[in-house]
Amino acid sequence: MTAKTLTEKIIDMHYVTGEKSQGREVAISIDQTLTQDATGTMAYLQYEAIGVPRVKTRLSVSYVDHNTLQSDYKNADDHRFLQSMAQKYGIYFSRPGNGICHQLHVENFAVPGSTLIGSDSHTPTAGGVGAMAMGAGGLDVAAAMAGMPFRIKYPKVMGVHLSESLPEWVSAKDVILEVLRRIDVKGGVGYVLEYFGDGVQSLSVPERATITNMGTETGATTSIFPSDPVTEQFLRAQEREKDYIPLLPDPGAAYDRVIEIDLSALEPLAACPHSPGDVRPVRELAGLAVQQVGIGSCTNSSLKDLETVARILEGQTISEDLHLIVNPGSRQVVDHLIESGALNQMIQAGARILENACGACIGMGAAPSSKAVSVRTYNRNFKGRSGTSDADVYLVSPETAAAAALRGKLIDPRDLGQPFPAVELPSRYRVNKNMFIPPLPHEKAAQTEIIRGPNIAPLPEFQSLPDSLSGEVVLKVGDNITTDHIIPGGAKILPLRSNIPQISQYVFEMVDPDFPARALEKGGGFILGGDNYGQGSSREHAALAPKYLGIRAVIVKSFARIHLANLINFGIVPLTFADPADYDRIDPGDHLDVIINDLRSPDIVLKNRTKGSDSRLGHTLSELDAGILKAGGKLSWIKSRIDRCE
Ligand code: MIC
Ligand code: SF4
């Protein structure tokens, strides 16, 4: 028998159909799903349209953590809708205020060796306990809740070999920043990042979760740690010892690529504006004046992170040139911070303690001032994401963030001249699940009325795909376009997530605010892009809203994984240039014809009527994908299959 990686083992345990060879499609069964409110409303509308009376997963959880500002009725409408949906369909509901979905899932539900998909790109956080956890579009999560398997391209496995242990003042965030420094924001595409080696045992589960969380920024399918005695200890501390299974790679398992990281040789790092992959040592940036420090997000809001910050700040006052905001990851974290006195230490030092929610990470409040430098423990620093288009965001560890808060400038935390705050994690956490509403029994669930306020618009319907696509290039963009470029977050736009006609008015708002009007005027057309198009979040609105504006195909050099799946799900044809140089030969406004009557053929011809030239296009669509596109999207495709079975 060949020695297997963790990834291969978990895929084997969940294999349903497909070809287990790299790059080919494989379908796996899904044990758990999670949604958050900003993607959840669409996911549940789609689940409702599929028409399965109760979820078929072992566990599904609906979290509320993104849209919590409630500046009017919209977010509150969404919350009530989500709660009623959860009660009707057998889903756990995590009430607003309970915490950030990924932190909560690791604390309460993630199981080693299980499969989890979530309508949020940072779902791999649960890889910290050895789950194979992947981000997906809401429709794929809805399909998994309805019992359908999840399709992925059989991944390559990148072994990240960890040796030794971290020195003082260097923490888990610096490990993932080092990975990003080496492989950048698309080096993980097509891979699962699997951590192994002696250094693994030196990292606690929350530290591992920080690493798997931000592995998303490499473009990887997911990231995973083994399930070992450290995992067992964590699950015991969370009163979940029954969820423990040991799960290690086989000795001699072969990785497609190996990265070696000597933990003891790492130093504090920072991702510079405006990419998580632009990583430099903090010492090279030392002295840069800072106007805001943000501590929290699903990457760094665990008890260990915040206890560390509190100890660094203890007895001092933050610099008067900045403000410090802190979003704890969960109520459990807050509970411990109160008990230990750490919360008070942070407040006394001048921290503004905000809600246990995503908050400033997705631009929901606490935007920095004009041209500010904001130093954050979060995972993304895309331009404008903070809510201030000319702010510069640096991504760092909690230690580096706390040091910046004290000194008012970036400084290597080792130069603070303070004793290192060693934090011991409790052997038992203060577990309290009273803000989770468990699923109702069948009979009661069936009687639940769904509550739909005016913010919940009906799902748009789309036509099946014609044999040829014709239209203008409505927009041409460059490399690494993020879903934040396509459909921004933030306090103005995020509350419109349940209303596609309204949110579609903001597509490409930061790139070209005239795009929606132009796309509608031209009757749709094409978007042209460079490499890694659609990196970042799982928000399916980045496909759904352009589709609503009439976009028929996106033609690029390469796609990011989740966005590619979302385009297919909503019937936008994702095509790639056979010769990337052709990208330069097509201009905005050119009129194109693309013949797509046989999407199974890997070769597609693009005729540029304006230039009188032809280009060859390719794609990575499977036969199933082609069927979904032909049907006008995955929802129509699923419904037609269910109708045929009835
Ligand atoms: C993000 O961090 O960008 C988000 C907001 O969590 C998204 C989900 C969304 O857009 O609702 C993600 O990462 O998938
Ligand atoms: Fe929330 Fe930010 Fe994490 Fe996204 S990255 S789930 S917005 S905390």
Side-chain angles (χ1 to χ4, degrees):
M1 273 217 327
T2 47
K4 289 188 173 147
T5 60
L6 275 178
T7 307
E8 289 166 322
K9 286 186 178 186
I10 300 181
I11 292 180
D12 280 358
M13 282 164 8
H14 294 84
Y15 173 79
V16 176
T17 171
E19 205 180 316
K20 287 194 218 167
S21 63
Q22 276 171 19
R24 309 296 298 187
E25 200 164 85
V26 70
I28 56 173
S29 60
I30 295 300
D31 300 321
Q32 300 188 345
T33 63
L34 71 77
T35 55
Q36 40 87 343
D37 52 314
T39 52
T41 47
M42 274 299 137
Y44 293 110
L45 283 170
Q46 293 169 139
Y47 178 80
E48 188 181 37
I50 297 173
V52 174
R54 197 173 174 92
V55 291
K56 296 195 170 163
T57 42
R58 286 197 200 152
L59 172 108
S60 288
V61 192
S62 171
Y63 293 95
V64 176
D65 54 0
H66 282 63
N67 263 321
T68 54
L69 271 187
Q70 292 171 230
S71 36
D72 63 17
Y73 65 93
K74 295 191 196 70
N75 298 162
D77 274 13
D78 287 359
H79 302 171
R80 296 194 77 199
F81 168 76
L82 291 168
Q83 183 167 344
S84 62
M85 276 282 177
Q87 296 198 318
K88 190 166 182 75
Y89 293 113
I91 298 161
Y92 273 90
F93 183 66
S94 170
R95 299 172 65 182
N98 202 19
I100 304 175
C101 57
H102 307 303
Q103 170 73 23
L104 287 169
H105 208 78
V106 168
E107 285 173 1
N108 296 284
F109 300 115
V111 173
S114 67
T115 50
L116 160 71
I117 63 169
S119 59
D120 192 282
S121 64
H122 292 103
T123 305
T125 316
V129 298
M132 181 155 179
M134 291 160 287
L139 182 47
D140 285 322
V141 175
M145 289 190 286
M148 292 170 211
F150 180 58
R151 295 181 296 127
I152 49 170
K153 296 260 184 276
Y154 199 85
K156 294 178 274 183
V157 182
M158 192 179 307
V160 186
H161 182 259
L162 302 181
S163 55
E164 306 295 333
S165 59
L166 288 168
E168 291 183 349
W169 297 102
V170 180
S171 66
K173 181 65 156 281
D174 299 307
V175 179
I176 188 60
L177 287 172
E178 173 65 13
V179 172
L180 274 154
R181 194 182 68 77
R182 305 239 195 131
I183 68 173
D184 209 343
V185 291
K186 64 186 178 88
V189 174
Y191 284 97
V192 170
L193 305 189
E194 202 173 300
Y195 290 82
F196 72 112
D198 288 349
V200 164
Q201 69 201 27
S202 69
L203 298 169
S204 65
V205 165
E207 291 170 306
R208 295 174 184 188
T210 292
I211 295 170
T212 56
N213 170 285
M214 204 174 168
T216 297
E217 271 52 67
T218 69
T221 304
T222 187
S223 304
I224 189 164
F225 271 82
S227 174
D228 60 7
V230 175
T231 322
E232 184 177 18
Q233 151 60 26
F234 172 79
L235 291 173
R236 193 174 322 111
Q238 284 291 156
E239 297 174 9
R240 296 206 289 131
E241 47 272 62
K242 62 167 187 6
D243 287 339
Y244 176 68
I245 56 157
L247 194 64
L248 304 173
D250 289 332
Y255 299 98
D256 298 290
R257 179 178 166 190
V258 173
I259 301 186
E260 297 282 347
I261 297 185
D262 173 354
L263 295 175
S264 67
L266 292 182
E267 62 175 314
L269 296 170
C272 302
H274 301 283
S275 172
D278 188 2
V279 177
R280 287 170 60 185
V282 175
R283 69 185 150 77
E284 286 180 13
L285 304 162
L288 181 71
V290 175
Q291 286 78 40
Q292 183 190 56
V293 174
I295 295 175
S297 92
C298 54
T299 319
N300 278 123
S301 58
S302 71
L303 180 60
K304 164 141 193 310
D305 292 331
L306 299 192
E307 281 283 347
T308 305
V309 169
R311 304 254 182 109
I312 295 172
L313 300 181
E314 188 178 356
Q316 306 183 65
T317 303
I318 57 168
S319 159
E320 59 190 40
D321 297 327
L322 55 71
H323 70 152
L324 165 65
I325 54 172
V326 177
N327 285 84
S330 70
R331 283 183 323 129
Q332 178 179 291
V333 170
V334 175
D335 201 354
H336 280 278
L337 294 174
I338 293 171
E339 194 200 18
S340 69
L343 190 69
N344 201 27
Q345 284 161 7
M346 288 192 280
I347 292 171
Q348 290 308 320
R352 296 163 61 185
I353 308 292
L354 303 178
E355 209 180 352
N356 317 324
C358 301
C361 174
I362 187 59
M364 293 304 270
S369 55
S370 293
K371 297 197 170 64
V373 168
S374 177
V375 169
R376 302 174 159 208
T377 66
Y378 314 163
N379 49 34
R380 289 186 173 146
N381 58 350
F382 305 142
K383 194 170 169 43
R385 183 177 158 102
S386 63
T388 303
S389 55
D390 57 8
D392 279 346
V393 175
Y394 291 79
L395 304 173
V396 300
S397 69
E399 292 80 355
T400 302
L406 286 176
R407 292 300 152 85
K409 56 187 183 191
L410 266 175
I411 158 181
D412 185 322
R414 294 171 298 189
D415 296 337
L416 264 182
Q418 290 183 197
F420 170 66
V423 169
E424 281 264 318
L425 289 175
S427 56
R428 289 275 165 187
Y429 287 103
R430 298 165 69 87
V431 178
N432 178 354
K433 296 204 175 166
N434 68 340
M435 289 292 275
F436 284 106
I437 302 180
L440 287 176
H442 280 65
E443 322 73 65
K444 268 200 153 168
Q447 290 157 15
T448 307
E449 286 280 326
I450 301 299
I451 304 171
R452 274 172 240 267
N455 196 41
I456 313 287
L459 285 177
E461 296 212 0
F462 301 124
Q463 305 301 314
S464 58
L465 194 71
D467 286 345
S468 81
L469 303 176
S470 191
E472 278 187 26
V473 174
V474 197
L475 183 72
K476 182 173 178 180
V477 288
D479 289 345
N480 292 323
I481 286 296
T482 71
T483 51
D484 280 75
H485 288 110
I486 305 173
I487 194 93
K492 184 174 79 175
I493 304 175
L494 211 58
L496 303 174
R497 287 289 185 90
S498 316
N499 192 326
I500 299 304
Q502 275 194 36
I503 206 169
S504 66
Q505 297 312 310
Y506 296 96
V507 176
F508 284 113
E509 147 120 318
M510 283 186 308
V511 176
D512 178 351
D514 299 332
F515 173 84
R518 198 165 61 245
L520 285 174
E521 182 205 317
K522 306 272 177 200
F526 301 92
I527 295 172
L528 244 57
D531 265 320
N532 203 21
Y533 181 85
Q535 70 159 321
S537 98
S538 69
R539 62 191 73 151
E540 57 194 354
H541 303 73
L544 195 39
K547 173 76 182 188
Y548 183 82
L549 297 174
I551 295 303
R552 322 303 293 276
V554 176
I555 308 168
V556 301
K557 294 183 187 167
S558 66
F559 287 102
R561 176 185 70 89
I562 308 178
H563 187 60
L564 174 65
N566 285 336
L567 289 172
I568 298 167
N569 284 352
F570 294 101
I572 296 185
V573 187
L575 297 165
T576 46
F577 291 103
D579 175 5
D582 282 346
Y583 167 88
D584 298 318
R585 298 188 186 111
I586 305 176
D587 293 311
D590 283 4
H591 195 109
L592 311 181
D593 292 322
V594 180
I595 316 298
I596 47 150
N597 53 0
D598 188 6
L599 267 176
R600 282 164 312 175
S601 147
D603 248 341
I604 290 176
V605 177
L606 173 155
K607 293 194 173 299
N608 187 333
R609 272 203 230 165
T610 312
K611 301 257 161 52
S613 59
D614 287 0
S615 307
R616 304 211 80 76
L617 302 177
H619 63 73
T620 52
L621 302 169
S622 67
E623 227 175 295
L624 220 61
D625 293 333
I628 291 173
L629 281 169
K630 210 71 205 154
K634 191 163 177 173
L635 198 54
S636 329
W637 179 81
I638 294 175
K639 285 208 281 193
S640 70
R641 284 161 66 105
I642 292 176
D643 291 347
R644 259 184 277 143
C645 299
E646 275 169 2

